[in-house]
Amino acid sequence: MSSSQHTGRSVAVSIPREEQWTLHHVLLDRIERERTAESPELGPPSIEVYRAFDRLDDGETAFTLAQLEAVQSVLSAYHHAPTDWELDRPEIEALLVRVSDAIERAEAT
């Protein structure tokens, strides 16, 4: 896949409202953890995490492949986090499946 396809074309992801809220919360938490330097071992989130958050915050559920990959990475980390996200784990898992499927579909075209 060319670099322009990776960063330019948007891929729509069907995300139910409740899962949109969970994704918004997870991305915001990841961004805020950087701002508070709570977990310096994490390093800053990629610019694509910020861009995906902005799109979601604007009501969009279509993302570039690079944004989807960044979201997938964040969701995977939160899915495997200890108890902090235990109550949200089913939604995070469902989101991870949706995002992974969208990535696979985009890469296949």
Side-chain angles (χ1 to χ4, degrees):
M1 176 169 288
S2 76
S3 178
S4 64
Q5 288 175 317
H6 195 259
T7 58
R9 183 173 54 109
S10 289
V11 178
V13 183
S14 177
I15 305 173
R17 190 65 140 168
E18 184 174 310
E19 289 177 21
Q20 286 180 34
W21 176 248
T22 300
L23 180 57
H24 186 273
H25 188 66
V26 166
L27 294 176
L28 180 59
D29 183 73
R30 177 61 181 96
I31 290 167
E32 289 295 319
R33 287 174 72 190
E34 161 61 14
R35 290 186 184 150
T36 62
E38 184 177 303
S39 302
E41 72 278 358
L42 284 176
S46 74
I47 190 68
E48 299 305 337
V49 170
Y50 288 95
R51 289 177 177 157
F53 175 80
D54 287 343
R55 289 189 81 135
L56 188 63
D57 201 44
D58 288 341
E60 297 288 326
T61 59
F63 307 92
T64 66
L65 188 54
Q67 291 166 356
L68 285 174
E69 289 171 346
V71 166
Q72 181 184 44
S73 177
V74 171
L75 287 170
S76 181
Y78 278 67
H79 183 260
H80 293 97
T83 58
D84 293 351
W85 292 89
E86 192 64 38
L87 295 176
D88 296 308
R89 199 164 318 278
E91 287 86 8
I92 292 172
E93 187 170 344
L95 281 163
L96 195 50
V97 168
R98 288 179 199 286
V99 169
S100 297
D101 287 349
I103 291 170
E104 287 178 23
R105 281 193 319 272
E107 290 178 338
T109 59

